[in-house]
Amino acid sequence: MTVTGQTFTNGGRNYGSSSNGYLSSRLDGCTPSFINSEQDIITAYLKGNRSFLDRYVANHVTEQDLEGWLNEKRSKGNNRFVSIQTCEIPSASDEDVSTKPKGGTTDYRKFIRDLTTDVKHLSSIGKLMQHLASYVASATDCDDFTVYVLDENSQEFRMYTEANNLNGPESGIEAENGYVRRVSSTKDPSGLLNSSQASSSTGGVVGLLDKPCNILSLPVLDLSDRVVGTIQFYRVAERANFTEEDKRTCSNLIGMSGLLLKCQEFYFDMGKQRQLNEFLLTVTKSIFQDIVSMDNVIIKIMNYAKRLVSADRTALFLLDPKTDEVYARVFDRGEAEQLEIQASSGSSTGLNKQSNEIRFSTNKGVAGYVAATGQTLNIADAYADERFNREIDLLTGYKTKTILCMPLCIRGKTIGVVQMVNKRNGVFTKRDEEAFEVFAVYCALALHHAKLYEKIRRSEQRNKVALEVLSYHSQASDEEANQLMKTPIPKEINELTDYSFSPWTVDNDDKPLYVLYMFRDLFQQSRFDLGRLCRFTLTVRKNYRNVPYHNWSHAFSVAQCMFMIMKKSSKTKFSLLEGLALFVACLCHDVDHRGFTNQFMVNSASPLATLYSTSTMEHHHFNHTITILQQEGHNIFTYLSSDDYKQVLSDIKEFILATDLAIFFANKGRLKDITAKQQFDWNIKEQRQLGFAISMTACDLCSSSKPWDIQIGVVGVIFEEFYAQGDKEKAAGKTPMTMMDRDRKDQLPILQSGFLTGICVPCYEILAEILPETQPMLEGTRTNLKRWQADAEKEKEKELAREKESAENAQQSGNAETVSA
């Protein structure tokens, strides 16, 4: 075969053919000296006459020649690509991009625009090369062309056709053309050939037109200068040889292959990423919306993993850090798309009969290795890898060929591994690894949440059992409720409306009956189911703890005080629902009180303080009230409509929270401003709620308004509870407040004087302003205040006397020491 042109490389350097004898001689490396002399003279002239060169180029050089020169210039800087100016043109599809009109001239800018736009629709390298070849063939008026694509796996060139599309490693016709191999090894387009002389140099290439033809073969390179294929162009020999212009055109156009391949890779990656994102979104929705058990999550992960990387089978092993083993309960039998739980039969391979799971050490098998090291393994030949455990294949009869095994990690800690087996088409690729690496993050999160869900579910079940036990022991028995129901309710209990009445004198067994009486008197018993009312009252009593003051007797006294206020006040001030909420709130306002203040609960890091950062105990009292109402046969509000029921519960919460003195001070300030301007109006909802709140505080402090003998007795009980808290604080190494310190009992009159002056009297003054019927409570409090102030003065006198005596003793002791000296 005779080469009739100079070597024609990719990237803009001049390759191809010329009939010029002098240029042919340059192919052989024999350049005559006179050519060099002439070139030197011309070069020197052009350097000294730039204006002549400019005029010559402007008048005699075509745009195509300029493009070629520019590409040749850039190729010396390792840049074989021409500049691109993009513009919008109609896109093409796989069906129409290969059909281009033939012509003898080339618009380079349009060529670039067309290819960069069409490349997004080309789904393979073969399609891209065919598309590129059709453009080049059209521009150079070729009669035909052949595309050869390099198979990455076998490193063999295979002829591309529309039929085979070269999608798989076994597709296509292997090229026997030695000329193709030579071009790919040198990466240089190899001149012009005549097919009649092909046998000696090309390995027997035959023109596709069944006629003698000239052949031009060019390598297609990517941006990394790697050969991805070759293109052979044919022109019937009887027509014309490839011209110098043809060579330059081919050089320029084929030089675009790297950029086009990069564009195709970009579009392909974007498409794959979009598909992966959609896939992950579907996976996430499916898995996280159905976390009902660990096995369900595992099944979904295994199904999606198979689809993601086109694996034949998959397995998911969880890591048991206690035994340093991996185990699986769900197995892929490969019989259906959906996996199912299969009981293991058990054998020497590690299958467990009792737990229906397979379990083995992390120092065994591929899965064990990945679990132990946290490294990903992509094995193309399983039997050639010493880490592969063949026992499972021997047991099942299944042949493992390829494996992709990856760890599932949470916060850098491996919790399991997923093992994909046998890629359905070839071997697992780097792209499979990258896609599954992202998928593995979601899998690990799903498994982590499934574990948490199972723990929470078990915890909920334990709590449910505990609640059932506690409910049984904390609620009134049916016998108690039946006995109360059978006890006749007195027709009249007149002392309940007496301000001087002492509720603490009522026997604990009789208090529930008094409560039923007050319910009937205020709200008409016919509105309530008697059985529910009895159970509710008895259970509330049972849920007050046996503490010195905040117990059932205190709750009864507060409820009796509210009953008295409502009975003595105008009925228009309290609606039925408001009165019901107020009375129930009084009855339950300290339920389950532990005998400690809110501040103590916070300082001691009580779980209740964690749940409720403000008004700790008051929030707990309300929630405990709801718990009682929710117990079977205890909801006394069943006769209410849904809206009324919600309103009553909302009011009960607000009224119980109002018993927190921290809230009282805010309410007092607002009400004081309103009453000072004589603007209080029960018809204004906000002011009405403030009036109810101050009423709750007044009832909570009602012992301050009782006769002195009742008052002094209740105060003693209150301070006994305070002192118990102070003892705990001392035991914890803390110094209690004066009112909590039993070693400072002598300060009690002073403390009580301050309490009545700062809290009780202002409260009852405001209450008397808005509810004049409560004036006796204010007067009783003022009377008790005078007694406390008198006792406080006596205590101060005693304190002064003690200080004086102590000073005199100290002086006498000092004098005695002086005389002795």
Side-chain angles (χ1 to χ4, degrees):
M1 178 179 64
T2 304
V3 178
T4 59
Q6 60 179 338
T7 303
F8 185 47
T9 65
N10 193 23
R13 294 189 295 268
N14 269 336
Y15 305 103
S17 139
S18 173
S19 58
N20 189 305
Y22 295 123
L23 295 180
S24 297
S25 66
R26 291 184 64 188
L27 271 176
D28 300 328
C30 303
T31 305
S33 59
F34 68 85
I35 292 181
N36 291 333
S37 300
E38 289 180 359
Q39 289 180 348
D40 292 341
I41 294 172
I42 294 171
T43 300
Y45 176 79
L46 293 176
K47 286 182 177 180
N49 297 270
R50 291 297 301 273
S51 59
F52 171 78
L53 177 60
D54 293 340
R55 288 194 304 274
Y56 180 83
V57 170
N59 296 328
H60 300 286
V61 178
T62 66
E63 290 185 4
Q64 287 83 353
D65 287 337
L66 287 175
E67 290 281 0
W69 291 350
L70 184 59
N71 285 339
E72 184 175 0
K73 178 73 173 178
R74 286 172 176 160
S75 68
K76 295 178 181 179
N78 294 324
N79 185 347
R80 62 171 64 93
F81 304 111
V82 300
S83 61
I84 300 176
Q85 292 181 337
T86 59
C87 65
E88 294 186 3
I89 62 172
S91 60
S93 62
D94 280 351
E95 288 73 16
D96 60 12
V97 291
S98 61
T99 305
K100 300 292 177 183
K102 289 188 177 183
T105 61
T106 302
D107 184 341
Y108 287 99
R109 289 183 176 84
K110 184 177 186 302
F111 165 78
I112 294 171
R113 289 197 305 268
D114 289 349
L115 280 181
T116 53
T117 302
D118 293 345
V119 73
K120 70 178 70 173
H121 304 288
L122 305 175
S123 56
S124 66
I125 293 178
K127 283 183 177 293
L128 173 64
M129 291 177 59
Q130 186 183 51
H131 197 51
L132 177 64
S134 69
Y135 269 103
V136 176
S138 175
T140 57
D141 197 23
C142 293
D143 294 303
D144 207 345
F145 61 83
T146 305
V147 172
Y148 294 96
V149 180
L150 181 65
D151 188 324
E152 292 184 359
N153 296 324
S154 65
Q155 290 298 303
E156 295 290 341
F157 286 92
R158 300 184 183 276
M159 182 186 298
Y160 174 84
T161 65
E162 287 287 353
N164 62 57
N165 198 22
L166 292 181
N167 286 328
E170 306 300 330
S171 304
I173 304 170
E174 187 171 337
E176 295 295 336
N177 191 340
Y179 196 45
V180 171
R181 296 191 185 94
R182 190 181 74 181
V183 169
S184 67
S185 63
T186 62
K187 299 182 182 180
D188 288 335
S190 297
L192 299 172
L193 300 176
N194 186 293
S195 62
S196 62
Q197 300 173 330
S199 59
S200 63
S201 186
T202 67
V205 71
V206 178
L208 298 183
L209 302 176
D210 296 327
K211 295 181 181 180
C213 59
N214 295 312
I215 304 174
L216 178 61
S217 184
L218 301 99
V220 179
L221 310 177
D222 62 14
L223 288 179
S224 300
D225 208 38
R226 293 176 302 187
V227 176
V228 297
T230 63
I231 303 175
Q232 286 187 349
F233 295 97
Y234 306 96
R235 182 179 288 169
V236 177
E238 63 188 25
R239 289 182 55 219
N241 292 334
F242 289 101
T243 66
E244 191 70 27
E245 185 68 19
D246 295 333
K247 302 174 210 173
R248 183 174 289 115
T249 299
C250 290
S251 174
N252 292 338
L253 300 185
I254 298 299
M256 289 292 297
S257 61
L259 180 59
L260 294 174
L261 288 169
K262 193 65 179 178
C263 290
Q264 186 189 51
E265 180 183 359
F266 171 76
Y267 286 121
F268 180 77
D269 288 344
M270 289 290 290
K272 292 291 288 184
Q273 187 62 49
R274 184 171 57 254
Q275 294 175 6
L276 178 60
N277 292 343
E278 293 173 353
F279 176 81
L280 292 176
L281 181 60
T282 303
V283 171
T284 304
K285 287 181 178 179
S286 177
I287 291 178
F288 283 91
Q289 287 178 357
D290 192 25
I291 300 182
V292 295
S293 72
M294 179 68 76
D295 288 343
N296 282 353
V297 173
I298 291 174
I299 289 172
K300 289 198 171 188
I301 289 175
M302 292 169 67
N303 279 324
Y304 280 117
K306 289 171 63 176
R307 289 171 50 190
L308 179 64
V309 297
S310 298
D312 182 55
R313 293 190 182 183
T314 186
L316 193 151
F317 298 91
L318 298 176
L319 178 63
D320 186 347
K322 295 180 179 179
T323 61
D324 202 25
E325 293 178 323
V326 291
Y327 64 93
R329 296 193 301 264
V330 182
F331 307 98
D332 182 1
R333 298 185 298 178
E335 296 179 358
E337 189 65 26
Q338 294 295 324
L339 303 176
E340 62 184 29
I341 300 176
Q342 171 186 302
S344 303
S345 59
S347 71
S348 60
T349 59
L351 296 174
N352 191 313
K353 292 182 180 179
Q354 296 179 350
S355 60
N356 294 329
E357 67 182 21
I358 182 172
R359 180 180 286 265
F360 52 87
S361 173
T362 54
N363 58 17
K364 188 175 185 180
V366 173
Y369 177 85
V370 172
T373 63
Q375 299 177 1
T376 298
L377 287 182
N378 189 347
I379 302 174
D381 185 354
Y383 280 80
D385 195 300
E386 60 182 10
R387 293 164 297 195
F388 174 63
N389 180 14
R390 305 185 183 187
E391 294 180 5
I392 303 298
D393 277 13
L394 294 175
L395 178 68
T396 61
Y398 183 76
K399 179 64 179 294
T400 301
K401 299 177 181 178
T402 59
I403 297 175
L404 176 60
C405 192
M406 301 191 75
L408 302 176
C409 302
I410 287 289
R411 299 172 184 169
K413 184 178 179 181
T414 301
I415 62 172
V417 296
V418 177
Q419 181 172 288
M420 281 71 68
V421 178
N422 290 353
K423 176 89 169 181
R424 289 178 177 172
N425 188 9
V427 298
F428 294 107
T429 64
K430 186 67 176 177
R431 191 181 297 277
D432 291 331
E433 293 182 36
E434 293 171 352
F436 195 83
E437 186 176 0
V438 178
F439 176 64
V441 175
Y442 292 87
C443 294
L445 286 173
L447 289 174
H448 182 64
H449 281 81
K451 283 185 175 181
L452 291 178
Y453 177 80
E454 286 194 347
K455 289 182 179 179
I456 292 172
R457 191 159 57 97
R458 288 195 298 267
S459 179
E460 286 179 346
Q461 295 303 316
R462 286 194 295 266
N463 291 339
K464 187 176 181 180
V465 172
L467 184 60
E468 289 175 354
V469 173
L470 292 174
S471 296
Y472 175 79
H473 292 287
S474 64
Q475 70 183 27
S477 65
D478 291 338
E479 291 78 9
E480 291 176 303
N482 291 333
Q483 185 177 355
L484 182 59
M485 289 174 62
K486 294 176 182 179
T487 304
I489 302 174
K491 293 182 179 181
E492 294 290 341
I493 308 179
N494 295 325
E495 61 265 29
L496 289 177
T497 57
D498 188 349
Y499 283 110
S500 63
F501 171 69
S502 175
W504 293 273
T505 61
V506 180
D507 189 271
N508 273 342
D509 291 336
D510 294 334
K511 287 185 176 76
L513 194 62
Y514 278 50
V515 170
L516 295 182
Y517 168 81
M518 290 186 282
F519 260 105
R520 185 189 66 183
D521 193 286
L522 289 173
F523 315 115
Q524 300 176 9
Q525 184 177 312
S526 60
R527 293 177 177 270
F528 300 94
D529 178 83
L530 182 59
R532 291 177 180 271
L533 189 57
C534 290
R535 277 188 289 271
F536 175 78
T537 303
L538 291 171
T539 299
V540 169
R541 181 184 69 173
K542 195 168 187 177
N543 279 268
Y544 272 93
R545 300 196 179 198
N546 188 23
V547 294
Y549 176 68
H550 291 95
N551 49 35
W552 168 243
S553 294
H554 170 64
F556 178 75
S557 70
V558 176
Q560 181 269 326
C561 184
M562 183 60 72
F563 169 79
M564 179 179 60
I565 291 175
M566 286 193 286
K567 288 294 291 182
K568 290 183 176 294
S569 302
S570 172
K571 293 184 178 179
T572 58
K573 291 186 173 66
F574 300 89
S575 70
L576 180 65
L577 293 180
E578 291 167 344
L580 182 60
L582 282 166
F583 189 77
V584 173
C586 288
L587 200 65
C588 302
H589 81 284
D590 275 332
V591 67
D592 197 45
H593 200 292
R594 283 85 189 282
F596 304 114
T597 63
N598 284 336
Q599 192 59 47
F600 178 87
M601 302 299 286
V602 173
N603 294 341
S604 61
S606 165
L608 286 176
T610 303
L611 290 174
Y612 318 112
S613 58
T614 60
S615 300
T616 300
M617 293 308 301
E618 287 74 22
H619 276 103
H620 175 60
H621 302 324
F622 169 72
N623 288 328
H624 201 74
T625 301
I626 298 301
T627 300
I628 294 173
L629 287 169
Q630 289 175 341
Q631 294 183 24
E632 185 178 357
H634 286 69
N635 190 353
I636 60 176
F637 303 127
T638 52
Y639 73 95
L640 296 177
S641 66
S642 177
D643 291 340
D644 288 345
Y645 180 74
K646 291 178 182 178
Q647 185 60 51
V648 166
L649 292 186
S650 177
D651 287 343
I652 290 175
K653 180 177 182 179
E654 183 177 348
F655 298 154
I656 290 178
L657 291 179
T659 60
D660 183 359
L661 289 180
I663 295 178
F664 160 73
F665 289 115
N667 292 337
K668 182 192 73 171
R670 295 164 64 188
L671 269 175
K672 190 174 181 180
D673 291 341
I674 295 172
T675 55
K677 301 175 183 177
Q678 297 184 345
Q679 295 177 346
F680 183 83
D681 187 349
W682 281 100
N683 294 317
I684 299 177
K685 183 178 180 180
E686 181 182 1
Q687 296 183 13
R688 187 181 185 86
Q689 292 299 107
L690 286 174
F692 294 150
I694 210 74
S695 299
M696 286 294 299
T697 304
C699 293
D700 197 19
L701 305 176
C702 66
S703 64
S704 300
S705 67
K706 298 297 181 180
W708 176 252
D709 58 336
I710 300 174
Q711 156 77 163
I712 194 70
V714 174
V715 168
V717 175
I718 293 174
F719 273 81
E720 187 56 41
E721 189 170 285
F722 287 167
Y723 294 152
Q725 176 177 317
D727 294 341
K728 281 187 170 292
E729 290 174 332
K730 287 180 180 180
K734 299 178 181 178
T735 302
M737 298 169 58
T738 302
M739 64 184 297
M740 305 288 181
D741 191 349
R742 67 173 67 248
D743 295 331
R744 305 191 66 182
K745 289 182 179 180
D746 56 324
Q747 298 295 308
L748 192 151
I750 299 174
L751 293 171
Q752 274 300 102
S753 296
F755 179 69
L756 267 64
T757 302
I759 296 176
C760 298
V761 171
C763 175
Y764 293 123
E765 285 177 344
I766 295 174
L767 186 64
E769 285 277 346
I770 62 176
L771 288 173
E773 298 87 354
T774 62
Q775 184 67 27
M777 299 182 73
L778 174 59
E779 293 173 356
T781 304
R782 285 174 173 170
T783 300
N784 289 330
L785 175 58
K786 291 177 182 179
R787 295 290 297 270
W788 285 117
Q789 287 174 338
D791 288 349
E793 288 298 325
K794 292 178 183 178
E795 187 59 41
K796 288 180 181 179
E797 291 175 0
K798 291 179 182 180
E799 182 67 25
L800 289 174
R802 284 193 294 269
E803 290 177 359
K804 183 178 180 181
E805 183 181 356
S806 177
E808 290 175 352
N809 291 336
Q811 185 175 4
Q812 290 176 3
S813 177
N815 292 337
E817 289 179 0
T818 302
V819 172
S820 175

